[in-house]
Amino acid sequence: MKKSIYAAMLSGIICPGSGQLWLGKKLLGWGFISVSVVCILVLMNQIISRAQVIAEQILAGNIGNDLGSIYAAVSNVALDTGSSSMATLTWIFLANWGLSIISAVWLGAQQDKQLQSESKTAEL
């Protein structure tokens, strides 16, 4: 299997940046990984804080203790467009993931070409 395809699969399936690490581009790989981890941590923090608000409202009696009331409260929070930071972070995460795959394909293709030219030179 070509390095470009394998690296792209690593970055696309395992984790953004893992293909770059496999190709030996450690700084670039860790950069993609760190952006992904930061985005996920911030998103999870926001999700947990929103869930805590709903849980506090349930305990205070502001939201009914039945499934329909809880579902409605969660849906209202999920549809809240007042906070665009979650959408922005999601787009940053997805862009980072896509760039990681594109970068892995490009770097892998360069290494594939280099290996082909070295093998042709060795044959002569």
Side-chain angles (χ1 to χ4, degrees), residues 27-59:
L27 186 61
L28 187 60
W30 285 112
F32 281 120
I33 290 172
S34 62
V35 169
S36 298
V37 168
V38 167
C39 286
I40 288 172
L41 288 175
V42 173
L43 283 169
M44 290 304 296
N45 185 32
Q46 290 184 2
I47 290 168
I48 289 170
S49 67
R50 289 180 180 193
Q52 285 176 336
V53 168
I54 292 173
E56 289 171 0
Q57 289 177 346
I58 292 169
L59 291 174

Short mmCIF file of all heavy atoms in Angstrom, two decimals, residues 27-59:
data_model
loop_
_atom_site.label_atom_id
_atom_site.label_comp_id
_atom_site.label_asym_id
_atom_site.label_seq_id
_atom_site.Cartn_x
_atom_site.Cartn_y
_atom_site.Cartn_z
N LEU A 27 6.47 17.19 14.33
CA LEU A 27 5.98 18.51 14.73
C LEU A 27 4.61 18.78 14.11
O LEU A 27 3.68 19.23 14.81
CB LEU A 27 6.98 19.59 14.33
CG LEU A 27 6.67 21.01 14.80
CD1 LEU A 27 6.62 21.07 16.32
CD2 LEU A 27 7.70 21.97 14.27
N LEU A 28 4.47 18.49 12.85
CA LEU A 28 3.19 18.69 12.16
C LEU A 28 2.12 17.77 12.74
O LEU A 28 0.98 18.19 12.99
CB LEU A 28 3.36 18.45 10.66
CG LEU A 28 2.18 18.78 9.76
CD1 LEU A 28 1.81 20.26 9.88
CD2 LEU A 28 2.51 18.42 8.32
N GLY A 29 2.48 16.52 12.98
CA GLY A 29 1.53 15.56 13.54
C GLY A 29 1.05 15.98 14.92
O GLY A 29 -0.15 15.96 15.21
N TRP A 30 1.98 16.36 15.78
CA TRP A 30 1.58 16.78 17.13
C TRP A 30 0.79 18.09 17.09
O TRP A 30 -0.06 18.34 17.94
CB TRP A 30 2.78 16.90 18.06
CG TRP A 30 3.28 15.55 18.49
CD1 TRP A 30 4.45 14.97 18.15
CD2 TRP A 30 2.58 14.61 19.31
NE1 TRP A 30 4.53 13.72 18.71
CE2 TRP A 30 3.40 13.48 19.43
CE3 TRP A 30 1.34 14.60 19.95
CZ2 TRP A 30 3.03 12.35 20.17
CZ3 TRP A 30 0.98 13.48 20.68
CH2 TRP A 30 1.81 12.38 20.78
N GLY A 31 1.03 18.92 16.10
CA GLY A 31 0.24 20.14 15.94
C GLY A 31 -1.22 19.82 15.63
O GLY A 31 -2.13 20.38 16.26
N PHE A 32 -1.44 18.90 14.68
CA PHE A 32 -2.81 18.50 14.36
C PHE A 32 -3.48 17.83 15.56
O PHE A 32 -4.65 18.08 15.85
CB PHE A 32 -2.83 17.54 13.16
CG PHE A 32 -2.68 18.21 11.83
CD1 PHE A 32 -1.62 17.88 11.00
CD2 PHE A 32 -3.59 19.15 11.39
CE1 PHE A 32 -1.48 18.48 9.75
CE2 PHE A 32 -3.47 19.75 10.16
CZ PHE A 32 -2.40 19.42 9.33
N ILE A 33 -2.74 16.99 16.26
CA ILE A 33 -3.30 16.30 17.43
C ILE A 33 -3.67 17.30 18.52
O ILE A 33 -4.75 17.21 19.12
CB ILE A 33 -2.32 15.24 17.95
CG1 ILE A 33 -2.24 14.08 16.96
CG2 ILE A 33 -2.73 14.74 19.34
CD1 ILE A 33 -1.16 13.06 17.26
N SER A 34 -2.79 18.27 18.78
CA SER A 34 -3.07 19.23 19.85
C SER A 34 -4.27 20.11 19.54
O SER A 34 -5.09 20.40 20.43
CB SER A 34 -1.83 20.08 20.15
OG SER A 34 -1.47 20.84 19.02
N VAL A 35 -4.43 20.53 18.28
CA VAL A 35 -5.62 21.31 17.92
C VAL A 35 -6.88 20.48 18.15
O VAL A 35 -7.88 20.97 18.70
CB VAL A 35 -5.53 21.81 16.46
CG1 VAL A 35 -6.85 22.39 15.99
CG2 VAL A 35 -4.42 22.84 16.31
N SER A 36 -6.84 19.21 17.77
CA SER A 36 -8.00 18.33 17.96
C SER A 36 -8.33 18.15 19.43
O SER A 36 -9.50 18.24 19.82
CB SER A 36 -7.74 16.96 17.33
OG SER A 36 -7.54 17.08 15.96
N VAL A 37 -7.31 17.91 20.24
CA VAL A 37 -7.54 17.69 21.68
C VAL A 37 -8.10 18.95 22.33
O VAL A 37 -9.04 18.87 23.14
CB VAL A 37 -6.24 17.23 22.36
CG1 VAL A 37 -6.36 17.27 23.87
CG2 VAL A 37 -5.88 15.82 21.90
N VAL A 38 -7.56 20.11 21.99
CA VAL A 38 -8.07 21.35 22.58
C VAL A 38 -9.52 21.58 22.19
O VAL A 38 -10.35 21.93 23.04
CB VAL A 38 -7.18 22.55 22.17
CG1 VAL A 38 -7.85 23.88 22.49
CG2 VAL A 38 -5.82 22.46 22.83
N CYS A 39 -9.85 21.37 20.92
CA CYS A 39 -11.24 21.55 20.48
C CYS A 39 -12.17 20.59 21.22
O CYS A 39 -13.24 21.00 21.69
CB CYS A 39 -11.36 21.32 18.97
SG CYS A 39 -10.72 22.66 17.96
N ILE A 40 -11.78 19.34 21.34
CA ILE A 40 -12.62 18.36 22.01
C ILE A 40 -12.79 18.71 23.49
O ILE A 40 -13.90 18.62 24.03
CB ILE A 40 -12.06 16.93 21.82
CG1 ILE A 40 -12.27 16.48 20.38
CG2 ILE A 40 -12.70 15.95 22.79
CD1 ILE A 40 -11.58 15.19 20.02
N LEU A 41 -11.71 19.11 24.15
CA LEU A 41 -11.80 19.46 25.58
C LEU A 41 -12.72 20.66 25.81
O LEU A 41 -13.54 20.65 26.73
CB LEU A 41 -10.41 19.73 26.15
CG LEU A 41 -9.51 18.52 26.32
CD1 LEU A 41 -8.13 18.95 26.79
CD2 LEU A 41 -10.12 17.53 27.29
N VAL A 42 -12.60 21.68 24.97
CA VAL A 42 -13.44 22.87 25.14
C VAL A 42 -14.90 22.53 24.83
O VAL A 42 -15.82 22.95 25.55
CB VAL A 42 -12.93 24.04 24.26
CG1 VAL A 42 -13.90 25.20 24.29
CG2 VAL A 42 -11.56 24.48 24.73
N LEU A 43 -15.14 21.75 23.78
CA LEU A 43 -16.51 21.34 23.46
C LEU A 43 -17.12 20.51 24.59
O LEU A 43 -18.27 20.74 24.98
CB LEU A 43 -16.54 20.55 22.15
CG LEU A 43 -16.44 21.36 20.87
CD1 LEU A 43 -16.22 20.45 19.68
CD2 LEU A 43 -17.69 22.19 20.66
N MET A 44 -16.36 19.57 25.11
CA MET A 44 -16.87 18.75 26.21
C MET A 44 -17.15 19.59 27.45
O MET A 44 -18.14 19.36 28.15
CB MET A 44 -15.88 17.63 26.55
CG MET A 44 -15.80 16.55 25.48
SD MET A 44 -17.40 15.79 25.09
CE MET A 44 -17.79 15.01 26.63
N ASN A 45 -16.30 20.57 27.73
CA ASN A 45 -16.53 21.46 28.87
C ASN A 45 -17.84 22.22 28.70
O ASN A 45 -18.62 22.35 29.65
CB ASN A 45 -15.35 22.41 29.01
CG ASN A 45 -15.47 23.27 30.25
OD1 ASN A 45 -16.01 22.84 31.27
ND2 ASN A 45 -14.95 24.48 30.17
N GLN A 46 -18.10 22.73 27.50
CA GLN A 46 -19.35 23.46 27.26
C GLN A 46 -20.56 22.54 27.35
O GLN A 46 -21.59 22.93 27.90
CB GLN A 46 -19.30 24.15 25.90
CG GLN A 46 -18.34 25.32 25.86
CD GLN A 46 -18.37 26.05 24.54
OE1 GLN A 46 -19.14 25.72 23.64
NE2 GLN A 46 -17.53 27.05 24.41
N ILE A 47 -20.44 21.33 26.83
CA ILE A 47 -21.56 20.38 26.89
C ILE A 47 -21.87 20.00 28.34
O ILE A 47 -23.03 19.97 28.75
CB ILE A 47 -21.24 19.13 26.04
CG1 ILE A 47 -21.26 19.50 24.56
CG2 ILE A 47 -22.21 18.00 26.34
CD1 ILE A 47 -20.69 18.42 23.66
N ILE A 48 -20.82 19.75 29.11
CA ILE A 48 -21.02 19.37 30.52
C ILE A 48 -21.63 20.52 31.31
O ILE A 48 -22.53 20.32 32.14
CB ILE A 48 -19.70 18.90 31.14
CG1 ILE A 48 -19.32 17.53 30.55
CG2 ILE A 48 -19.78 18.81 32.66
CD1 ILE A 48 -17.93 17.07 30.89
N SER A 49 -21.19 21.75 31.04
CA SER A 49 -21.76 22.89 31.77
C SER A 49 -23.23 23.09 31.42
O SER A 49 -24.05 23.41 32.29
CB SER A 49 -20.96 24.16 31.50
OG SER A 49 -21.09 24.57 30.16
N ARG A 50 -23.60 22.87 30.16
CA ARG A 50 -25.01 22.98 29.77
C ARG A 50 -25.84 21.86 30.41
O ARG A 50 -26.97 22.08 30.83
CB ARG A 50 -25.15 22.94 28.26
CG ARG A 50 -24.65 24.20 27.60
CD ARG A 50 -24.80 24.16 26.11
NE ARG A 50 -24.31 25.39 25.51
CZ ARG A 50 -24.54 25.74 24.27
NH1 ARG A 50 -25.27 24.97 23.49
NH2 ARG A 50 -24.05 26.87 23.80
N ALA A 51 -25.27 20.67 30.49
CA ALA A 51 -25.97 19.56 31.13
C ALA A 51 -26.15 19.81 32.62
O ALA A 51 -27.19 19.46 33.20
CB ALA A 51 -25.21 18.26 30.91
N GLN A 52 -25.17 20.43 33.26
CA GLN A 52 -25.29 20.75 34.68
C GLN A 52 -26.41 21.76 34.93
O GLN A 52 -27.13 21.67 35.92
CB GLN A 52 -23.97 21.28 35.22
CG GLN A 52 -22.93 20.20 35.42
CD GLN A 52 -21.59 20.74 35.88
OE1 GLN A 52 -21.27 21.91 35.65
NE2 GLN A 52 -20.80 19.89 36.51
N VAL A 53 -26.56 22.73 34.05
CA VAL A 53 -27.63 23.72 34.19
C VAL A 53 -28.99 23.02 34.12
O VAL A 53 -29.88 23.30 34.93
CB VAL A 53 -27.51 24.82 33.10
CG1 VAL A 53 -28.75 25.68 33.03
CG2 VAL A 53 -26.27 25.67 33.33
N ILE A 54 -29.14 22.10 33.17
CA ILE A 54 -30.40 21.37 33.05
C ILE A 54 -30.63 20.51 34.28
O ILE A 54 -31.75 20.45 34.82
CB ILE A 54 -30.42 20.52 31.76
CG1 ILE A 54 -30.45 21.45 30.54
CG2 ILE A 54 -31.61 19.58 31.75
CD1 ILE A 54 -30.30 20.72 29.23
N ALA A 55 -29.59 19.85 34.78
CA ALA A 55 -29.73 19.01 35.98
C ALA A 55 -30.13 19.85 37.19
O ALA A 55 -30.98 19.43 38.00
CB ALA A 55 -28.42 18.27 36.25
N GLU A 56 -29.56 21.04 37.32
CA GLU A 56 -29.92 21.92 38.43
C GLU A 56 -31.37 22.38 38.32
O GLU A 56 -32.08 22.51 39.32
CB GLU A 56 -28.97 23.12 38.47
CG GLU A 56 -27.57 22.76 38.93
CD GLU A 56 -26.58 23.89 38.76
OE1 GLU A 56 -26.97 24.98 38.28
OE2 GLU A 56 -25.39 23.67 39.08
N GLN A 57 -31.84 22.64 37.08
CA GLN A 57 -33.22 23.05 36.89
C GLN A 57 -34.18 21.90 37.22
O GLN A 57 -35.27 22.14 37.74
CB GLN A 57 -33.44 23.53 35.46
CG GLN A 57 -32.78 24.86 35.17
CD GLN A 57 -32.96 25.29 33.72
OE1 GLN A 57 -33.35 24.49 32.87
NE2 GLN A 57 -32.67 26.55 33.44
N ILE A 58 -33.77 20.69 36.93
CA ILE A 58 -34.61 19.53 37.28
C ILE A 58 -34.70 19.40 38.79
O ILE A 58 -35.79 19.20 39.35
CB ILE A 58 -34.05 18.24 36.64
CG1 ILE A 58 -34.20 18.29 35.12
CG2 ILE A 58 -34.77 17.00 37.20
CD1 ILE A 58 -33.44 17.18 34.39
N LEU A 59 -33.56 19.53 39.46
CA LEU A 59 -33.54 19.40 40.93
C LEU A 59 -34.32 20.54 41.59
O LEU A 59 -34.93 20.34 42.65
CB LEU A 59 -32.11 19.37 41.44
CG LEU A 59 -31.30 18.12 41.09
CD1 LEU A 59 -29.85 18.27 41.53
CD2 LEU A 59 -31.94 16.89 41.71
#
